[in-house]
Amino acid sequence: MLALSASGVFAADKSVENPLIESPTWIELRDDIVGDVTLQDGTGLFTVDAPYRAFDAATVPISIIQTDTDAVITQADIVIDENPAPLAARMSFGTGMSPLKLELRVRVNTYSNIRVIAQTDQGSFMQGRYVKASGGCSAPATKDPKAALKGIGQMRLKPIANALPASGQRREAQIMIRHPNYSGFQRDQITHLFMNAHFIDRLDVYQGDDLLFTLDGGISISENPVFRFEYTDNGAPALRIRAEDTEGNVFEEMLDKGTSS
């Protein structure tokens, strides 16, 4: 299996296997998340990698890597069973993201299954990991509120390849967005009062005019969100990113694909 290492490179996962475990919480959640849809075993379609014991519960990396490259994954729901808001993200993908290879970081509030439910024209498929982490949703922000809000919405694109590939080639990139993504469960370290939830709830990423992916997110996406992914280059010189948060702020950037430093 492949996972994104601490150095930011997809590599073989040497960690302890941590498959999904039985979850009474999921039994209660299932209908709200997927309704009466039949969930097929996603083992042959994609892998999900996440650490068995998270180093930091507020920034737990999850990687989704498609193994059946003949299928087309059009949507993925990321569910963290035991989080206060279990549906962490609902993502939709354009054709340029196929086959899917994506990594993002989430908060995990207590020991929990993390599920990915993928949609294809053959139905819905589920895979996931069990992660031991706690306190991710209430972990203090890394900066005080004034510092965290300074520069909010700033974006950076980090190309991974050393050279700009030709149109039609696969390439890899990482998008970083500055935003505190307050969960509503964190306390101001000075007043000790709970801070209001304030997070990015919509993200759209385009390559020129072609959609790469959208994200409808909640409080479980980490502070200063990071998304690393592969996509098929269509020849456009830039990625267009639009983010909107729960206070109605809209952030838009055109980020040149460029080359990595």
Side-chain angles (χ1 to χ4, degrees):
M1 286 175 288
L2 299 177
L4 193 68
S5 70
S7 62
V9 178
F10 284 105
D13 182 7
K14 305 295 185 182
S15 65
V16 177
E17 292 288 343
N18 49 323
L20 294 172
I21 66 171
E22 290 189 15
S23 168
T25 302
W26 173 244
I27 294 173
E28 297 178 1
L29 286 175
R30 188 189 186 284
D31 284 349
D32 289 336
I33 302 295
V34 299
D36 60 358
V37 170
T38 298
L39 292 177
Q40 304 173 63
D41 182 3
T43 302
L45 176 62
F46 65 99
T47 64
V48 176
D49 281 302
Y52 181 54
R53 292 185 183 275
F55 176 75
D56 182 351
T59 56
V60 179
I62 302 172
S63 61
I64 307 166
I65 302 169
Q66 188 173 338
T67 51
D68 178 1
T69 57
D70 291 330
V72 177
I73 296 175
T74 56
Q75 179 179 299
D77 289 351
I78 299 169
V79 181
I80 306 172
D81 288 4
E82 307 299 336
N83 270 17
L87 183 57
R90 173 161 288 165
M91 302 187 71
S92 298
F93 306 106
T95 56
M97 291 287 288
S98 186
L100 185 63
K101 189 174 183 181
L102 169 76
E103 197 249 27
L104 70 162
R105 300 172 189 176
V106 298
R107 296 181 169 114
V108 178
N109 204 47
T110 189
Y111 290 17
S112 181
N113 287 313
I114 298 180
R115 307 172 188 273
V116 176
I117 301 167
Q119 310 291 333
T120 75
D121 60 4
Q122 298 299 311
S124 300
F125 298 81
M126 184 170 71
Q127 259 277 40
R129 295 285 171 181
Y130 179 71
V131 173
K132 291 187 174 182
S134 60
C137 292
S138 58
T142 56
K143 296 182 178 180
D144 67 73
K146 287 185 178 179
L149 294 175
K150 186 178 181 180
I152 188 172
Q154 290 180 350
M155 302 180 193
R156 181 185 171 199
L157 174 65
K158 179 182 178 182
I160 307 302
N162 289 322
L164 187 65
S167 177
Q169 300 282 318
R170 293 290 284 178
R171 69 177 308 178
E172 191 173 346
Q174 181 171 282
I175 293 172
M176 294 157 278
I177 306 172
R178 186 168 181 176
H179 199 289
N181 263 20
Y182 292 136
S183 66
F185 291 89
Q186 298 151 315
R187 292 182 183 270
D188 186 298
Q189 297 302 293
I190 297 175
T191 66
H192 302 291
L193 298 174
F194 284 106
M195 295 185 292
N196 292 332
H198 177 198
F199 54 89
I200 292 172
D201 57 356
R202 177 74 181 191
L203 175 68
D204 301 288
V205 178
Y206 287 83
Q207 179 183 196
D209 293 326
D210 295 339
L211 175 69
L212 286 177
F213 65 88
T214 66
L215 175 142
D216 291 301
I219 65 172
S220 297
I221 301 298
S222 72
E223 177 183 3
N224 297 325
V226 176
F227 303 91
R228 180 169 175 146
F229 56 96
E230 282 192 358
Y231 64 99
T232 301
D233 193 283
N234 70 355
L239 298 186
R240 176 165 56 93
I241 298 114
R242 182 186 188 277
E244 184 171 351
D245 70 18
T246 51
E247 293 193 359
N249 299 310
V250 175
F251 314 103
E252 295 184 275
E253 292 279 357
M254 293 286 290
L255 300 177
D256 189 90
K257 290 176 180 176
T259 57
S260 62
S261 57

